[in-house]
PDB file of all heavy atoms in Angstrom:
ATOM      1  N   SER A  37       0.581  -4.706   1.333  1.00 98.00           N
ATOM      2  CA  SER A  37       0.916  -5.965   1.834  1.00 98.00           C
ATOM      3  C   SER A  37       1.805  -5.876   3.011  1.00 98.00           C
ATOM      4  O   SER A  37       2.250  -4.767   3.328  1.00 98.00           O
ATOM      5  CB  SER A  37       1.523  -6.914   0.809  1.00 98.00           C
ATOM      6  OG  SER A  37       2.825  -6.391   0.352  1.00 98.00           O
ATOM      7  N   GLY A  42      10.095 -13.803   9.781  1.00 92.00           N
ATOM      8  CA  GLY A  42       9.909 -15.252   9.702  1.00 92.00           C
ATOM      9  C   GLY A  42       8.635 -15.715   9.091  1.00 92.00           C
ATOM     10  O   GLY A  42       8.334 -16.805   9.054  1.00 92.00           O
ATOM     11  N   ARG A  45       4.883 -12.982   3.144  1.00 96.00           N
ATOM     12  CA  ARG A  45       4.184 -11.721   2.865  1.00 96.00           C
ATOM     13  C   ARG A  45       2.749 -12.062   2.660  1.00 96.00           C
ATOM     14  O   ARG A  45       2.401 -12.936   1.971  1.00 96.00           O
ATOM     15  CB  ARG A  45       4.919 -11.117   1.707  1.00 96.00           C
ATOM     16  CG  ARG A  45       4.306  -9.715   1.370  1.00 96.00           C
ATOM     17  CD  ARG A  45       5.167  -8.943   0.324  1.00 96.00           C
ATOM     18  NE  ARG A  45       6.483  -8.728   0.775  1.00 96.00           N
ATOM     19  CZ  ARG A  45       7.299  -7.962   0.077  1.00 96.00           C
ATOM     20  NH1 ARG A  45       6.996  -7.440  -1.039  1.00 96.00           N
ATOM     21  NH2 ARG A  45       8.596  -7.806   0.545  1.00 96.00           N
ATOM     22  N   VAL A  48      -2.815  -7.451   2.218  1.00 98.00           N
ATOM     23  CA  VAL A  48      -3.665  -6.860   3.103  1.00 98.00           C
ATOM     24  C   VAL A  48      -4.928  -6.198   2.603  1.00 98.00           C
ATOM     25  O   VAL A  48      -6.025  -6.405   2.939  1.00 98.00           O
ATOM     26  CB  VAL A  48      -2.901  -5.788   4.063  1.00 98.00           C
ATOM     27  CG1 VAL A  48      -3.922  -5.071   4.904  1.00 98.00           C
ATOM     28  CG2 VAL A  48      -1.852  -6.569   4.823  1.00 98.00           C
ATOM     29  N   TYR A  59     -10.138  -6.912   1.036  1.00 98.00           N
ATOM     30  CA  TYR A  59      -9.289  -6.836   2.299  1.00 98.00           C
ATOM     31  C   TYR A  59      -9.045  -8.342   2.718  1.00 98.00           C
ATOM     32  O   TYR A  59      -9.869  -9.256   2.644  1.00 98.00           O
ATOM     33  CB  TYR A  59     -10.002  -6.247   3.424  1.00 98.00           C
ATOM     34  CG  TYR A  59     -10.287  -4.702   3.175  1.00 98.00           C
ATOM     35  CD1 TYR A  59     -11.508  -4.209   2.693  1.00 98.00           C
ATOM     36  CD2 TYR A  59      -9.203  -3.810   3.469  1.00 98.00           C
ATOM     37  CE1 TYR A  59     -11.585  -2.783   2.458  1.00 98.00           C
ATOM     38  CE2 TYR A  59      -9.385  -2.404   3.183  1.00 98.00           C
ATOM     39  CZ  TYR A  59     -10.542  -1.948   2.742  1.00 98.00           C
ATOM     40  OH  TYR A  59     -10.770  -0.608   2.389  1.00 98.00           O
ATOM     41  N   ALA A  60      -7.983  -8.606   3.443  1.00 98.00           N
ATOM     42  CA  ALA A  60      -7.741  -9.787   4.084  1.00 98.00           C
ATOM     43  C   ALA A  60      -8.655  -9.959   5.294  1.00 98.00           C
ATOM     44  O   ALA A  60      -9.085  -8.862   5.896  1.00 98.00           O
ATOM     45  CB  ALA A  60      -6.271  -9.945   4.601  1.00 98.00           C
ATOM     46  N   SER A  62      -8.242 -10.949   8.153  1.00 97.00           N
ATOM     47  CA  SER A  62      -7.714 -10.428   9.427  1.00 97.00           C
ATOM     48  C   SER A  62      -7.731  -8.952   9.672  1.00 97.00           C
ATOM     49  O   SER A  62      -7.657  -8.497  10.939  1.00 97.00           O
ATOM     50  CB  SER A  62      -6.263 -10.920   9.563  1.00 97.00           C
ATOM     51  OG  SER A  62      -5.470 -10.285   8.431  1.00 97.00           O
ATOM     52  N   VAL A  63      -7.925  -8.185   8.658  1.00 98.00           N
ATOM     53  CA  VAL A  63      -8.011  -6.666   8.764  1.00 98.00           C
ATOM     54  C   VAL A  63      -9.344  -6.144   8.475  1.00 98.00           C
ATOM     55  O   VAL A  63      -9.572  -4.972   8.655  1.00 98.00           O
ATOM     56  CB  VAL A  63      -6.942  -6.018   8.063  1.00 98.00           C
ATOM     57  CG1 VAL A  63      -5.555  -6.641   8.298  1.00 98.00           C
ATOM     58  CG2 VAL A  63      -7.127  -6.101   6.432  1.00 98.00           C
ATOM     59  N   LYS A  76      -1.235  11.649  -6.380  1.00 94.00           N
ATOM     60  CA  LYS A  76      -0.503  10.440  -6.641  1.00 94.00           C
ATOM     61  C   LYS A  76      -0.078   9.751  -5.400  1.00 94.00           C
ATOM     62  O   LYS A  76       1.101   9.300  -5.292  1.00 94.00           O
ATOM     63  CB  LYS A  76       0.646  10.667  -7.653  1.00 94.00           C
ATOM     64  CG  LYS A  76       0.248  11.314  -8.904  1.00 94.00           C
ATOM     65  CD  LYS A  76       1.449  11.537  -9.842  1.00 94.00           C
ATOM     66  CE  LYS A  76       1.025  12.177 -11.236  1.00 94.00           C
ATOM     67  NZ  LYS A  76       2.142  12.454 -12.012  1.00 94.00           N
ATOM     68  N   GLN A  81      -5.411   3.398   6.055  1.00 98.00           N
ATOM     69  CA  GLN A  81      -5.828   3.781   7.405  1.00 98.00           C
ATOM     70  C   GLN A  81      -6.094   2.598   8.347  1.00 98.00           C
ATOM     71  O   GLN A  81      -6.947   1.653   7.910  1.00 98.00           O
ATOM     72  CB  GLN A  81      -7.112   4.640   7.346  1.00 98.00           C
ATOM     73  CG  GLN A  81      -7.650   5.021   8.703  1.00 98.00           C
ATOM     74  CD  GLN A  81      -6.808   6.082   9.383  1.00 98.00           C
ATOM     75  OE1 GLN A  81      -6.445   7.080   8.797  1.00 98.00           O
ATOM     76  NE2 GLN A  81      -6.394   5.805  10.611  1.00 98.00           N
ATOM     77  N   PRO A  87      -1.292  -6.473  18.343  1.00 97.00           N
ATOM     78  CA  PRO A  87       0.151  -6.830  18.188  1.00 97.00           C
ATOM     79  C   PRO A  87       0.371  -7.708  17.019  1.00 97.00           C
ATOM     80  O   PRO A  87       1.496  -7.521  16.450  1.00 97.00           O
ATOM     81  CB  PRO A  87       0.334  -7.547  19.517  1.00 97.00           C
ATOM     82  CG  PRO A  87      -0.629  -6.998  20.502  1.00 97.00           C
ATOM     83  CD  PRO A  87      -1.866  -6.734  19.641  1.00 97.00           C
ATOM     84  N   TYR A  94       4.221  -2.763   2.969  1.00 98.00           N
ATOM     85  CA  TYR A  94       4.601  -2.312   1.611  1.00 98.00           C
ATOM     86  C   TYR A  94       3.395  -2.040   0.735  1.00 98.00           C
ATOM     87  O   TYR A  94       2.426  -2.492   0.802  1.00 98.00           O
ATOM     88  CB  TYR A  94       5.427  -3.562   0.863  1.00 98.00           C
ATOM     89  CG  TYR A  94       6.554  -4.094   1.648  1.00 98.00           C
ATOM     90  CD1 TYR A  94       6.392  -5.170   2.435  1.00 98.00           C
ATOM     91  CD2 TYR A  94       7.714  -3.668   1.345  1.00 98.00           C
ATOM     92  CE1 TYR A  94       7.453  -5.699   3.126  1.00 98.00           C
ATOM     93  CE2 TYR A  94       8.838  -4.186   1.840  1.00 98.00           C
ATOM     94  CZ  TYR A  94       8.813  -5.313   2.873  1.00 98.00           C
ATOM     95  OH  TYR A  94       9.840  -5.758   3.426  1.00 98.00           O
TER      96      TYR A  94
END
Side-chain angles (χ1 to χ4, degrees):
S37 61
R45 185 169 295 187
V48 172
Y59 296 100
S62 59
V63 307
K76 298 180 180 178
Q81 178 68 51
Y94 301 88

